[in-house]
Amino acid sequence: MSAMLHAMSKLQEPLLQWFESQMQHSPSPPVAILSDLFLGWTQKLAVRLNIVRVAFFPMSAHNLSVINYFLRNLPHKEDCKDPNHRFSASGVPTSPVFPIYQIYIFHHLYADDSPIWEVLQHNNSLNRASWGIVLNSFAGLEEPFLNYLRKNYGNHGRVWGVGPLLPPIDHHQIDSSAAARDRGGPSSIRIEQVMSWLDSCAENRQSVVYVGFGSQIVLNRKQIEALSIGLEESQVKFIWCVKELSSPTTTGDEDIEKPVLPTGFEDRVAGQGLVIKGWAPQVAILSHRAVNTFLTHCGWNSVLEGLVAGVQLLLWPMINDHFMTAKLLDTDLGVAVKICEGADTVPNSTELARVIAESVPLGEEGKTRPQMVRAMEMGKLGLEAVTEGGSSFKELDDLVSNINELNVK
């Protein structure tokens, strides 16, 4: 990470030259920089150009609040060396308490005096010095945390929640949506086949569980085996997006731990489930009327996609801020159920099968489950937030108005 941040900072001089040329020759010179949280060095660039920088955080306001509290109230280093030390973010709404290992990646970098710690601390100070911040969230989901950040992140109060930031999906013509088709990379199944399979499930009043762990998480062999058994024994319909799989083999020690589907699994679940190898059209799948439940790793983009689709969330937080997100969804909002946690944890297949089966009851009963009801309500709020007159619509309009005022000055 340190190398990545350092490498990107090398763009400062070329960008400075580009900005200066625009300011000299353009009738509408730049007045602001909008940049990602890992590009803290663009704050220095903004100062050199005498313009403002807005930091974009593609995370929840809850998680940024906890991280900010941790960085400003550092525990003793010896405490951080105990992964189960309880850290209380008492100044944050809901006063969440976490085992220290669940506080992103900061705890061990701080405890070990890692050189990366200083880099991240400096990057955070530059983010805090920004003119304003934008988050991929919305008031109906995280208003207390957005308000907390307005009072406690920087000294400006300029915090805008403009989410959920999702590709447009036509819920009536989802199989022809260009946004759904054009995203992602290669896949083992065409989107038309996936949508056709889901249509058949809907026609037969069968609900579907979608299982996806994002673009970075790769399950190990034991986890894949446990999950495959759980899905098969649950007897529910499912779509499972897997990646980086090896062919089944027992030859050579180098292949023992490589992720691989159990021999014969796809044949046994033919008709019950679809296994997508590679990229899956996740937004399109979640938005389909047949999908009832989403088993997710708690990546924030995936969470928002699931909430907006109004599906129940089963949580398996893996790394970094996943644990904080799980606490927000399960404990604080009650829109999800945590079934497992940890990048190396192997779930109990029988218990997993039971939870999955119970998440997709027959008929309309599933919509009466508390988590399902709350998830559907939250999804409605998310859609309303980004429509004209909604909270995020207004927040984005306010952001643009503030930047336009800079241009006038």
Side-chain angles (χ1 to χ4, degrees):
M1 179 178 292
S2 178
M4 177 189 70
L5 294 176
H6 178 72
M8 288 190 294
S9 69
K10 295 294 184 181
L11 294 170
Q12 184 167 172
E13 291 305 319
L15 281 173
L16 177 65
Q17 295 173 16
W18 179 86
F19 270 104
E20 289 177 338
S21 68
Q22 294 296 307
M23 289 175 168
Q24 291 174 4
H25 306 296
S26 173
S28 300
V31 296
I33 297 173
L34 174 64
S35 57
D36 184 85
L37 76 160
F38 287 115
L39 303 179
W41 55 268
T42 55
Q43 173 63 23
K44 296 180 180 179
L45 178 62
V47 170
R48 293 174 69 180
L49 293 165
N50 196 31
I51 62 177
V52 304
R53 183 240 177 169
V54 181
F56 173 62
F57 291 81
M59 63 167 62
S60 73
H62 168 271
N63 292 4
L64 180 57
S65 297
V66 174
I67 292 171
N68 177 64
Y69 188 87
F70 176 82
L71 293 174
R72 300 186 69 181
N73 299 272
L74 291 171
H76 295 296
K77 288 187 178 182
E78 288 303 313
D79 290 334
C80 287
K81 292 179 181 180
D82 175 9
N84 294 312
H85 173 74
R86 309 294 285 180
F87 176 78
S88 174
S90 57
V92 174
T94 73
S95 300
V97 179
F98 301 90
I100 200 73
Y101 77 89
Q102 294 185 355
I103 306 295
Y104 201 49
I105 59 173
F106 293 115
H107 76 282
H108 64 85
L109 298 176
Y110 166 61
D112 298 337
D113 292 317
S114 168
I116 304 176
W117 168 249
E118 295 299 328
V119 174
L120 291 177
Q121 276 280 61
H122 182 57
N123 188 75
N124 179 67
S125 67
L126 291 171
N127 286 333
R128 288 180 55 82
S130 65
W131 178 78
I133 67 172
V134 175
L135 292 104
N136 184 14
S137 189
F138 58 98
L141 180 66
E142 295 196 287
E143 187 169 24
F145 303 102
L146 289 167
N147 288 334
Y148 169 84
L149 291 171
R150 290 184 178 107
K151 295 178 181 178
N152 295 279
Y153 198 90
N155 299 311
H156 45 70
R158 288 183 286 268
V159 175
W160 294 278
V162 300
L165 301 174
L166 304 174
I169 290 293
D170 186 335
H171 290 265
H172 302 290
Q173 299 290 333
I174 196 166
D175 58 335
S176 63
S177 167
R181 290 169 182 270
D182 296 341
R183 298 179 75 208
S187 174
S188 62
I189 303 178
R190 295 172 62 242
I191 186 173
E192 290 83 1
Q193 293 175 272
V194 177
M195 293 299 114
S196 177
W197 186 83
L198 285 171
D199 286 342
S200 69
C201 294
E203 290 169 3
N204 294 309
R205 299 182 180 276
Q206 294 172 301
S207 296
V208 177
V209 172
Y210 172 65
V211 181
F213 293 93
S215 58
Q216 296 183 9
I217 300 298
V218 179
L219 302 183
N220 61 41
R221 175 171 290 196
K222 291 181 180 179
Q223 290 171 327
I224 286 179
E225 181 179 4
L227 184 52
S228 63
I229 294 172
L231 287 169
E232 185 176 354
E233 292 185 351
S234 73
Q235 299 185 346
V236 305
K237 294 279 188 175
F238 68 87
I239 293 178
W240 181 10
C241 178
V242 297
K243 51 187 170 297
E244 296 188 22
L245 291 173
S246 305
S247 300
T249 178
T250 57
T251 60
D253 293 340
E254 69 277 10
D255 288 327
I256 291 177
E257 291 301 324
K258 287 184 179 179
V260 56
L261 285 173
T263 303
F265 172 73
E266 290 181 87
D267 292 334
R268 292 194 302 275
V269 299
Q272 178 190 352
L274 284 184
V275 176
I276 302 177
K277 299 172 184 176
W279 177 81
Q282 180 164 290
V283 175
I285 291 172
L286 290 171
S287 300
H288 196 282
R289 64 189 184 281
V291 177
N292 170 278
T293 302
F294 180 19
L295 173 51
T296 174
H297 65 303
C298 298
W300 189 240
N301 286 334
S302 289
V303 163
L304 289 179
E305 290 169 3
L307 286 176
V308 168
V311 299
Q312 182 178 185
L313 301 177
L314 300 181
L315 311 178
W316 184 348
M318 294 282 188
I319 57 174
N320 295 342
D321 63 339
H322 299 169
F323 303 105
M324 291 183 281
T325 298
K327 188 173 185 64
L328 170 70
L329 299 173
D330 182 7
T331 306
D332 295 346
L333 299 177
V335 297
V337 176
K338 186 170 70 173
I339 62 171
C340 190
E341 70 174 28
D344 299 318
T345 303
V346 178
N348 179 281
S349 299
T350 301
E351 178 66 12
L352 191 59
R354 182 190 65 79
V355 175
I356 291 173
E358 289 182 354
S359 75
V360 188
L362 298 175
E364 295 296 310
E365 181 186 349
K367 294 184 179 180
T368 66
R369 299 169 70 85
Q371 291 85 359
M372 185 68 177
V373 172
R374 294 191 187 103
M376 293 176 70
E377 292 172 348
M378 196 60 67
K380 182 180 179 181
L381 290 176
L383 290 172
E384 291 174 350
V386 295
T387 58
E388 187 170 358
S391 61
S392 293
F393 187 96
K394 292 178 180 178
E395 289 278 281
L396 183 58
D397 189 59
D398 186 63
L399 168 62
V400 172
S401 296
N402 273 267
I403 292 176
N404 281 337
E405 289 179 7
L406 295 173
N407 194 32
V408 172
K409 295 176 182 178

